[in-house]
Structure formats: C-alpha cells, structure tokens
Amino acid sequence: MDGAKMDQSQNLPCSFVIFGATGDLAAHKLLPALFDLEHAGRLADNLSIIAFSRREWTTDDWLEYVRSILKNKLDQPSCQALLERFLARFRYLRGDLKDVDSYHALAADIAPGSACSRTVFYLAIRPADFVTAIKNLKVAGLNEPRGMNRVVIEKPFGEDLESAQVLNRVLHQYFDEEQIYRIDHFLGKETVQNLLVFRFANTIIEPLWNRNFIDHVQITVAESIGIEKRAGYYDRAGALRDMLQNHLMQLLTVVAMEPPPALEADALRDEKVKVLRSIRPIAKRAVHAHAVRAQYTHGNIDRQPVVSYQQEENVEPDSITETFAAAKFYIDNWRWRGVPFYLRTGKRMPRRHSMIAIRFKHPPQQLFRETPLESIDPNWVLLSIQPEESMHMEIHVKQPGLDMNTRVIQMNASFLRTDEQTLGAYETLLLDVIEGDRSLFIRFDEAEWAWRVIDPILKFWTVEREYIPTYPAGSWGPAEANRLFDSDDQVWRNEL
C-alpha cells in the first residue's frame, strides 16, 4: 500500500456509535442510510456499529429490530445476504445518557490499541441532552486523543443565539472544530450540491445571477405531515427554530454565495458566512413587515380529515407555537442589494414540497405592447429539492399561427438520467463523516450568524403571546404571508 492510501485508511473510523439508536431519527434516517451505503459497497470491512440506547435489549433483540426497520428494502433474494453482512457489524450496548458508567462501558467496548482507533459519535438524541452526552464522553476519555474522534450534532444547534454559543463553548472544551460535524441534511441533497455546478460551471447562468436581472428569490419547504408525536420538542421550538433558522437559511446561502476560490470545506463556508453577515438586520419595529407566523387548524390532507395543532397529542390546548413561518430578507452586498429573498416553511400544507424559485425581471422594453402580448409573465428558474430533484427554466416561445401569441415552455435541466441512481442526503453526509470531508457541514460561525439574523424575529414573537393567525390544514399557509411581498405582481410559487 502506498503512503497516500495508508494515510487515507488510517483516517477512516473503525467504530460508529449511534446514541439514541432506538429513536425515530435512527429508525427513519440513519439505519436505512447506513444499509444503503453497505449496499453500495461504501463501508469499510472493519467498520463496526455500536447501538447505544437505554432499552433493556440484547444484541439479538436489536438485530430483530433492525430487520423490521429494513424489511421494505429486502425486495430481492440477494438482499438477504447483504442484510446479514450489515447486521454482523452491530453490537448493542444498553446505557443511559446521564450515567457515566455507561460511557466507561462504551469505552471498554470500543477496541483499544488497534491501528485504526477513530470513532464517530452520532448524537441522534434530544437537543436538551447534547451537553450531557458531550461532557460524559470527556469523563470516559472518549474525546481523546484530541483531533481523532468525530462527533455529529443534529439540528437545531441551540435554541437561540445565546444557547448556541454556550453549546459551542462546551463542545470546544473537549473537541477541536475539525472533529465537530454539525449536520443539515438539506445540504446533502443532490439538487443543492448541483446548484453550485449549475451556477459556477455555466457561463450562460452566472452573469444573470444578480440584482440586475433577478426580481426576487423564493425558498419554500412545505410538509404535509403534522408533528408526529414530537410535541415535547416541537411545542418549544416551532417552525422558525426547527426549519427556517437552519434548512432555509442554508439554502439561502447556497443560492446567494460568491464563487469560492476552491472547492474546499473552509473556502465554501467562508462564502456562506459572508452572505449571512451581509443580511440586513431587522429592527424590532420592522418585524411585523418582515415576518409572518401562523398555526394550522383542522382541515384535509389527501382528502383525509386532520386535527388542528392544538388538538395534537401532548400539545398545550392554548399553545401559540407557530407551525408556519415566512420571512423576507435583504442581502446588502454588490450582487444582491435590493433583491428580496422570501423564505417560508410550514406543516400540514397540501403536500411535501421543497423548491427554490428564482424570478427574473420583466424585459426593459415593452416591445409587444400593441399585440396580444401586452403583458408577458417573467421568466423563472425552478430548483426542485424534494420529493423530486430537478431543475427547470421557464421561457416564452411563439405559438404556431399568424397571431403573436406565446406559451411558456420548461427547459428541463434534470441532472439524473433514467438509468442512474444517486445516494440520498443522509447517505451522502454519513459517508462524508466517515471519510472526514466537512464541506457539507456547518461551521459554528454559520450557525451563529444564522441565529443573529432571526434573533430579532424570535424575541419579538416570544413577547407577542396573546394571538397567532391560523391557516386550514391542506392550504398553502395564511393569507397574511402575502403582505411580505414588495410589489403586487409578486406571488408565492407553489407549483413546478
């Protein structure tokens, strides 16, 4: 083995520890993603996975649980052998996050003294337990040697600016920044990554990507689901903390960033931080004009009746937690000065749908004012993130015939061929953690500046506790969201 390959192999972890292994995040995201990586042949042969949870299970109980989770993926006879190979990686360790002895048992379970001693600690636990887990990892010596092991933190990173700074100080007491992976799964989606190529590898696109040609930008992350037994977390967090501060702000930075000098982790993140630092601060008196919140009432999703948020299990009957949040931001730099960025997210909307919609300005000359084309709709670039991942550009063409009539056609810039498959967001990010690539993870100053941007809104809504607007489940949100627009011809784009 040559020196480069040897160095790479020594950088790979041999242990992957999942804290909260029996929770929803592990069941719905982590275990299926790790299995897909197994299927793709991307996991090293010597990688073992330790499931850490407080349930009184044996390893055999755990393996049966994993089989039940992955049963929908076993559609071919060959998958059974693949599953057995995957299951052979696992050990189950019963432990309590607050019990120091459990961490000492974990340290004893991780093979000491081997040539490959790196470990990934994935905190698939409640944000309230992050500090406890981090401190106990230190007590058991699992943060040593510094610079070796990796710790993965799920969003939200803190619940406001001050708590994020406290959490970061605790992390940096025991881990170096290079060991910390703050994960936002939206950054692992192919469309988001492909946006960098779409912008910076195409000379027909990048010259138009500025205030001279773009009228406004919309970023929508809509969910048809409710809170799904997450009332304990969600009723404290709300849509602003849960989605807008992290997912949507990250999408905004990818749309608005300048080209980095190199495709390196810190170079990419430097440009994203510049965007966040350039966002115009929202004064307390201007919050009402820049942000809207609302809560869903009863309605219908896919023709099925659903209850209101206040009737969800374990939600306070008089709760005013927002399940919809929309905000308008301006980026005061040379590229974007004066261009509004409209962000919105909500639960119990008509369907699961995430999209970046860029609307261009009207042509400067009304060349067709004495024809049937007196008013022409503007051009759009539409980037669908989920459920499908695709790119579209809307342009006008003349309809056949004698009259000057047009129709809008979509130029599909989909990057995925019919015979191609791609890794999902969590698969991509887990592989990056294992391989030590931090490009798609969030540096603390990104998280800190995102909190600084939304902190005025958060504080204003915390004081306003008497009333919250509502919207029917199955709708695209409250009518109040329309007041964010700067002009009458700006409307929310709900469809591709």
Side-chain angles (χ1 to χ4, degrees), residues 2 12 29 81 138-139 160 240 262 274 278 321 421 442:
D2 62 39
L12 296 177
K29 300 294 185 182
K138 190 271 177 187
V139 171
D160 55 21
L240 188 68
K274 288 178 185 177
S278 299
T321 297
Q421 291 185 337
I442 299 170

Side-chain angles (χ1 to χ4, degrees), residues 165-417:
Q165 291 169 333
V166 169
L167 175 56
N168 192 62
R169 283 196 292 269
V170 172
L171 270 169
H172 280 174
Q173 278 184 272
Y174 311 125
F175 293 93
D176 296 337
E177 179 64 26
E178 290 71 25
Q179 298 174 263
I180 302 167
Y181 291 73
R182 301 173 189 85
I183 194 168
D184 186 329
H185 73 270
F186 266 60
L187 295 180
K189 292 182 180 295
E190 283 285 353
T191 304
V192 178
Q193 296 179 62
N194 205 45
L195 178 56
L196 297 175
V197 178
F198 184 70
R199 286 187 56 193
F200 302 135
N202 296 291
T203 56
I204 64 170
I205 299 297
E206 182 57 21
L208 307 179
W209 211 260
N210 56 59
R211 59 189 172 90
N212 296 322
F213 299 97
I214 291 178
D215 178 80
H216 72 273
V217 177
Q218 297 181 24
I219 301 175
T220 297
V221 177
E223 299 177 286
S224 59
I225 59 172
I227 58 172
E228 295 192 311
K229 299 183 179 179
R230 296 170 65 222
Y233 159 72
Y234 196 90
D235 207 36
R236 291 184 56 193
L240 188 68
R241 289 185 177 96
D242 185 49
M243 297 292 290
L244 198 144
Q245 183 273 339
N246 39 75
H247 293 332
L248 278 78
M249 293 301 290
Q250 283 295 314
L251 294 178
L252 180 150
T253 61
V254 176
V255 172
M257 65 185 281
E258 296 295 325
L263 283 178
E264 298 170 354
D266 280 331
L268 284 164
R269 292 182 292 188
D270 285 346
E271 297 304 329
K272 290 162 67 180
V273 170
K274 288 178 185 177
V275 172
L276 293 169
R277 295 188 67 167
S278 299
I279 293 178
R280 187 184 303 171
I282 299 174
K284 182 179 179 180
R285 64 182 182 277
V287 168
H288 186 70
H290 282 258
V292 169
R293 64 174 175 167
Q295 185 185 96
Y296 64 79
T297 58
H298 64 276
N300 293 282
I301 303 288
D302 293 331
R303 300 182 181 179
Q304 298 297 317
V306 296
V307 299
S308 68
Y309 176 75
Q310 293 183 354
Q311 294 175 307
E312 297 277 15
E313 184 179 353
N314 296 325
V315 170
E316 293 294 329
D318 58 350
S319 171
I320 59 166
T321 297
E322 79 281 357
T323 61
F324 174 96
K328 172 174 61 177
F329 300 106
Y330 295 97
I331 301 171
D332 288 338
N333 61 20
W334 280 84
R335 183 185 290 266
W336 296 111
R337 175 82 180 190
V339 177
F341 283 69
Y342 302 110
L343 279 57
R344 65 170 173 166
T345 182
K347 290 190 176 295
R348 289 300 189 202
M349 298 179 87
R351 62 182 173 278
R352 179 172 174 258
H353 177 60
S354 298
M355 180 172 66
I356 300 168
I358 294 101
R359 205 199 88 172
F360 287 81
K361 293 184 176 181
H362 289 283
Q365 182 183 7
Q366 292 298 322
L367 183 63
F368 302 100
R369 60 180 174 270
E370 295 179 3
T371 74
L373 301 184
E374 223 170 290
S375 176
I376 299 180
D377 292 333
N379 303 120
W380 290 81
V381 168
L382 307 169
L383 306 150
S384 177
I385 300 169
Q386 61 184 22
E388 64 179 73
E389 295 184 310
S390 61
M391 298 184 181
H392 304 271
M393 183 181 296
E394 287 188 354
I395 65 171
H396 290 272
V397 297
K398 181 183 176 298
Q399 294 187 34
L402 297 176
D403 293 329
M404 185 62 75
N405 293 317
T406 67
R407 56 175 169 238
V408 174
I409 65 167
Q410 283 198 346
M411 299 174 67
N412 186 351
S414 179
F415 53 87
L416 198 62
R417 297 172 183 164

Side-chain angles (χ1 to χ4, degrees), residues 3-14:
K5 290 182 178 179
M6 185 175 295
D7 289 343
Q8 174 65 14
S9 67
Q10 289 176 346
N11 284 333
L12 296 177
C14 288

